[in-house]
Amino acid sequence: MKAFNRLILWTVLTGLALITILNGYVSCRDSAKPGKAYRVEINRIIEQVQRGVPPEEIIFTPGDYTYVNGLSWIDQGAEAQAVERFFAGIGVADSYEFTVKPVYLEQQLTGYLRFSYRLPGADHSVFLILNVFLLAALGAVTALLFYIRKQILQPFHTLQELPYELSRGQLNTGMKEHRSRFFGRFVWGLDLLRQTLDVQKQTNLRLEKDRQTLVASLSHELKTPVAAIRLYASALDGSLYDSEEKRQAAARLIGQKAEQMEQLIGDIITASVSSLQEMEVVPGEFYINELIRKVVPDHKERLELLKIELKVGPYQDKLLLGDLDRLFEVLNNLIENAIKYGDGGTVSMTFREEEYRQLIVIENSGEPLLLGELAHIFTSFWRGSNADGKPGNGLGLFICKQLLVKMGGDIFAEPLEHGMRFVVVLRY
């Protein structure tokens, strides 16, 4: 663009210089060759005087004389001072030229004639028209160069930076709309491509974040069966069971937890190439009793070994809508949190109805969250002030929220005076 600006400048300067040189040349040529027409008129007058016509009788009519308009005579015997004044052109107007010619009669000098005349000049009207034409031509060329600059080079200059910015992943800088008849639609199309790439980039980043969150969440889910296996194994190793039946039940539970771990590991492998948005929730129907039989035995014996009391309130065995397995994961997370962040006293699960929805309430005794922290409790990778020194990655409640929303439900948290309450909302 700078090179083209210099081209425009040099074009204007060169054009003006050529016009100036041409004007100077024409002026010099006219002044160097003033013409000889006035000499012809002078010779005609001298011939008349030599034929005896007195100088004062010669009339300078416009039709006969174009250049000579004045005539003076001085005798050969005039005083020297008068002759000097005569030859000096005294009496001739400053705007006229003059010349002195001797007059001979029978080869005898009789006196001198002084002619005043105006030199023929160039035709100024033609000269003016020529200058106007040259300046108009220069203006047209300059206007064409500016048009090329605005309509072609400027849009192209905008385009040449875009591929470089796109290659660097700079997708935030937009392109202004351009009305160029040559590149306007092309510029608009490239900016639309930039916006599409930017949206795709943001989508990919979000999906990658979701995928990482899902993998971390599923890894978090592994902690529950691992902790149960460790607890049952310690109980078996320490001979805490006083009957063969209890030992066999513990062994079966260890096997069930191992199967659960295998399923979670498979989910982790699947999640490594998917995102949280693709976490499958299978719509279905189940009774509350099915959910209780799946959740309570899974935690009851473990809580007994930890000396934590598990209370399950009364309920009506209603038919609920949702994914039984995913809801089992949600309740597992909530009970795991109650164990981890509670004071080891009690964990309760109660049931109630509200606005045609089934509520499952999980409560634990212990230190509650601060009111200012409740707004962040379901945010991924966020941990509250009561999590100091306790293992975790802040994903359990986030995943609970995501799964319940996919099932058409929801979850809320409420601090108690001495504990926390989580309310799961389900459809029926």
Side-chain angles (χ1 to χ4, degrees), residues 308-311 338 343-348 363-365:
I308 297 176
E309 183 181 3
L310 175 61
K311 298 179 179 179
D343 59 1
T346 60
V347 175
S348 66
E363 295 182 7
N364 65 270
S365 58

Side-chain angles (χ1 to χ4, degrees), residues 109-344:
L109 180 64
T110 59
Y112 298 94
L113 285 173
R114 186 177 68 184
F115 301 90
S116 62
Y117 59 90
R118 187 186 298 275
L119 289 176
D123 191 341
H124 294 286
S125 61
V126 176
F127 197 62
L128 179 61
I129 292 174
L130 178 62
N131 278 285
V132 170
F133 175 76
L134 292 176
L135 288 174
L138 178 61
V141 172
T142 304
L144 177 62
L145 291 176
F146 273 105
Y147 178 81
I148 293 174
R149 179 184 182 275
K150 181 178 180 180
Q151 297 296 328
I152 298 178
L153 293 183
Q154 188 172 352
F156 184 76
H157 180 73
T158 304
L159 295 179
Q160 70 179 0
E161 297 296 332
L162 182 60
Y164 177 67
E165 295 297 329
L166 293 179
S167 67
R168 297 175 56 196
Q170 301 294 332
L171 304 175
N172 296 326
T173 304
M175 298 177 65
K176 295 182 179 179
E177 293 185 6
H178 207 284
R179 297 183 179 179
S180 170
R181 61 181 298 183
F182 303 103
F183 293 100
R185 186 173 180 82
F186 188 50
V187 171
W188 173 80
L190 281 179
D191 192 57
L192 187 62
L193 173 62
R194 178 198 62 79
Q195 295 177 14
T196 303
L197 291 176
D198 188 34
V199 171
Q200 186 62 43
K201 177 182 177 182
Q202 298 302 323
T203 301
N204 290 339
L205 290 175
R206 177 178 56 80
L207 292 177
E208 177 62 20
K209 181 179 178 180
D210 287 347
R211 185 188 63 80
Q212 294 176 356
T213 302
L214 179 58
V215 171
S217 174
L218 292 173
S219 300
H220 174 271
E221 294 291 337
L222 283 172
K223 294 182 178 180
T224 299
V226 168
I229 290 174
R230 180 182 300 171
L231 186 64
Y232 294 138
S234 298
L236 290 173
D237 184 62
S239 300
L240 297 180
Y241 298 109
D242 54 3
S243 66
E244 183 64 23
E245 182 180 354
K246 289 185 178 181
R247 286 192 290 270
Q248 290 179 358
R252 284 194 301 272
L253 288 173
I254 290 175
Q256 293 173 4
K257 295 300 179 182
E259 290 178 2
Q260 186 179 351
M261 288 177 61
E262 289 179 356
Q263 182 179 355
L264 289 172
I265 291 171
D267 290 343
I268 290 174
I269 295 173
T270 302
S272 64
V273 292
S274 63
S275 69
L276 181 63
Q277 302 300 324
E278 297 171 355
M279 180 183 289
E280 184 179 4
V281 172
V282 181
E285 297 178 346
F286 58 90
Y287 286 94
I288 295 179
N289 192 43
E290 294 181 64
L291 179 64
I292 299 303
R293 289 201 307 265
K294 192 175 179 68
V295 173
V296 173
D298 196 68
H299 291 280
K300 185 175 182 180
E301 190 168 357
R302 178 187 172 202
L303 292 173
E304 289 177 355
L305 291 174
L306 293 173
K307 306 301 182 183
I308 297 176
E309 183 181 3
L310 175 61
K311 298 179 179 179
V312 179
Y315 58 89
Q316 294 182 0
D317 194 15
K318 290 187 175 181
L319 185 67
L320 303 179
L321 300 178
D323 187 329
L324 178 61
D325 292 332
R326 294 303 186 185
L327 186 57
F328 173 67
E329 293 181 23
V330 170
L331 295 182
N332 270 345
N333 264 321
L334 294 178
I335 294 175
E336 186 68 28
N337 277 353
I339 296 172
K340 182 188 302 182
Y341 300 109
D343 59 1

